[in-house]
Amino acid sequence: MKNEISKNLFDYATSELSQDAFLCWLAANWDSEDESVHASAQNLLFHCINTAHNGNTTYENSESPAADTHMGQRHEDIQVHKIERQHQHIDVYLELNYMGRKYAVIIEDKTQSRDHDDQLNRYYEELSINPADAQLVGLYFKSDFVPERSDINESMKGTYIVMDYNDILGCLSNGSTNLILQSYRDRLQEKADHAQEFRSKAVKDWNTDQFCAFFESTLSSLHSIGLSGSFGRNDNRNGGRYSMWFGNQRKLGPHRDSFHLNLETANKNPNGNWACRMIVRWDGDGTGGRRSRRDFELPQIGDRCSSMKSQFAIMGRLFDINSNSTDGVEELTDKINDAIATYQTWCDANASE
């Protein structure tokens, strides 16, 4: 019988505390004699401070050689002088020195959860660092998808560098003889490879990672045609699901209502015979009022909805992928494009004066 037991440490050490330990270990090896460990540590540390270092150095002293530094290129090693875990509730805190400048680095470490309770701002406000002593920078480090990336970039105004599992992979050397480094990298690479299997599998066979990888790829394409959105998990009493939402920001009808498109996966505990579906949701009109489908011309949209009693109520369905369907990524992409065209036509017909 084939042995299916994993020998990768990080298949068992999956908590954020375990990942904290890996980050501390890697930072502590900034001067390792093992070249792959040394390069991985330096790549990750440089990723933390690159924007702050180049941006501020270029502004303050255009004669500095660091002004020409490109991402991934260092003039000397970054030195690590302090490593602390759970420092003032910060997951990992580092004090670094690079090219004569000191940096204090806040690392917010995530595996699957996301930021909450304004914690990223609070860490900046609560950490007593004199700007004359060190420059404070933040790293949002998540070994998963980061649908909250745009929210963090917008709210934190560039004070945090955001890394997802692919960004992390780009910093870590492959083929190392160091089992800790290679085991951590192998686990991320396995996730990356598995996520990309959405390109060859039928939609009905996609798991969460494959849907999320598809959402990321699709949102990038939609952005180029003026549609913005995001994706994430929606918790509910049927076990929860993942969905992608996007729209065109147009106001429709006499009450200037807002709507968006929502591509939903089936609930973890399914209550329907579909793998995913595209629906139109109502965002409201800013007055707290209610609307009915009868207030809009919706001949192209399927399922009827007699009234909309709350925000985000479903107006109707544009398509679904049946749980027995053999449709793959190309067929789903075509259906999304057709649904967008239908939605845009409906928006044109119902545009506010």
Side-chain angles (χ1 to χ4, degrees):
M1 182 179 294
K2 184 179 179 181
N3 185 3
E4 299 291 347
I5 297 176
S6 171
K7 296 183 179 180
N8 188 321
L9 168 67
F10 293 101
D11 283 343
Y12 305 102
T14 58
S15 72
E16 290 177 0
L17 289 176
S18 298
Q19 191 159 266
D20 289 351
F22 172 78
L23 284 167
C24 292
W25 171 84
L26 190 60
N29 278 281
W30 67 270
D31 59 350
S32 175
E33 294 182 359
D34 183 321
E35 182 51 38
S36 62
V37 176
H38 172 261
S40 297
Q42 290 294 321
N43 287 344
L44 182 62
L45 294 170
F46 190 67
H47 199 99
C48 293
I49 68 170
N50 179 54
T51 300
H53 182 83
N54 289 333
N56 286 355
T57 302
T58 303
Y59 177 79
E60 295 171 1
N61 180 9
S62 61
E63 301 300 320
S64 168
D68 294 327
T69 301
H70 299 292
M71 178 65 78
Q73 295 181 339
R74 302 180 306 276
H75 292 289
E76 60 185 50
D77 276 355
I78 298 172
Q79 301 173 335
V80 180
H81 295 295
K82 180 182 281 190
I83 302 172
E84 291 189 20
R85 295 175 64 190
Q86 297 303 312
H87 174 78
Q88 296 185 24
H89 305 294
I90 295 168
D91 290 333
V92 177
Y93 171 73
L94 306 176
E95 289 184 0
L96 315 176
N97 188 294
Y98 179 59
M99 296 188 70
R101 298 182 62 192
K102 294 181 180 179
Y103 298 88
V105 181
I106 296 168
I107 300 181
E108 178 58 23
D109 174 30
K110 302 290 186 185
T111 53
Q112 292 184 320
S113 63
R114 63 159 293 164
D115 59 305
H116 53 86
D117 300 327
D118 198 34
Q119 61 184 161
L120 302 185
N121 263 317
R122 282 193 290 104
Y123 297 153
Y124 259 74
E125 294 170 356
E126 295 172 2
L127 195 60
S128 300
I129 298 293
N130 187 332
D133 296 333
Q135 181 166 355
L136 185 60
V137 295
L139 174 66
Y140 189 83
F141 184 97
K142 185 172 179 178
S143 53
D144 200 353
F145 295 90
V146 188
E148 64 270 26
R149 184 191 297 266
S150 59
D151 293 339
I152 294 172
N153 289 338
E154 182 177 349
S155 63
M156 298 307 301
K157 309 301 182 187
T159 53
Y160 278 81
I161 299 296
V162 179
M163 297 184 74
D164 66 9
Y165 70 98
N166 271 316
D167 299 321
I168 299 166
L169 267 174
C171 289
L172 305 180
S173 298
N174 193 17
S176 173
T177 58
N178 185 286
L179 289 179
I180 297 176
L181 174 61
Q182 193 59 39
S183 294
Y184 186 80
R185 193 187 189 285
D186 283 349
R187 191 163 196 274
L188 290 185
Q189 187 64 62
E190 183 180 2
K191 179 182 182 69
D193 293 343
H194 187 60
Q196 290 302 309
E197 289 178 9
F198 79 85
R199 301 184 184 280
S200 57
K201 286 185 173 182
V203 174
K204 66 181 177 63
D205 296 324
W206 290 0
N207 66 10
T208 295
D209 280 355
Q210 287 148 14
F211 267 110
C212 287
F214 174 77
F215 292 159
E216 280 194 335
S217 174
T218 302
L219 284 169
S220 178
S221 300
L222 295 178
H223 182 74
S224 66
I225 60 173
L227 297 175
S228 59
S230 187
F231 70 96
R233 178 176 170 80
N234 304 120
D235 291 317
N236 59 42
R237 61 186 178 183
N238 291 315
R241 60 170 169 246
Y242 280 77
S243 62
M244 174 180 69
W245 52 90
F246 57 96
N248 55 20
Q249 308 301 314
R250 297 185 68 180
K251 304 297 182 183
L252 307 180
H255 300 284
R256 299 182 59 80
D257 296 77
S258 298
F259 299 84
H260 70 268
L261 292 171
N262 209 163
L263 182 64
E264 295 183 335
T265 66
N267 288 311
K268 184 177 181 180
N269 303 316
N271 55 4
N273 189 33
W274 49 274
C276 70
R277 65 178 184 178
M278 179 74 83
I279 58 177
V280 179
R281 285 190 180 270
W282 180 61
D283 289 339
D285 62 359
T287 68
R290 296 182 180 181
R291 298 283 176 268
S292 165
R293 279 173 55 96
R294 292 187 295 272
D295 293 330
F296 299 92
E297 294 296 329
L298 298 170
Q300 306 96 330
I301 297 177
D303 292 343
R304 294 197 62 185
C305 182
S306 59
S307 66
M308 298 180 293
K309 297 181 180 179
S310 63
Q311 194 175 9
F312 307 128
I314 299 173
M315 287 290 289
R317 182 188 62 201
L318 288 166
F319 72 80
D320 61 29
I321 298 286
N322 189 281
S323 58
N324 297 316
S325 170
T326 60
D327 284 356
V329 63
E330 292 184 3
E331 290 80 6
L332 176 55
T333 300
D334 288 343
K335 287 182 175 176
I336 291 173
N337 290 334
D338 289 343
I340 290 172
T342 297
Y343 179 71
Q344 300 282 43
T345 299
W346 177 68
C347 289
D348 291 341
N350 288 275
S352 300
E353 293 293 336

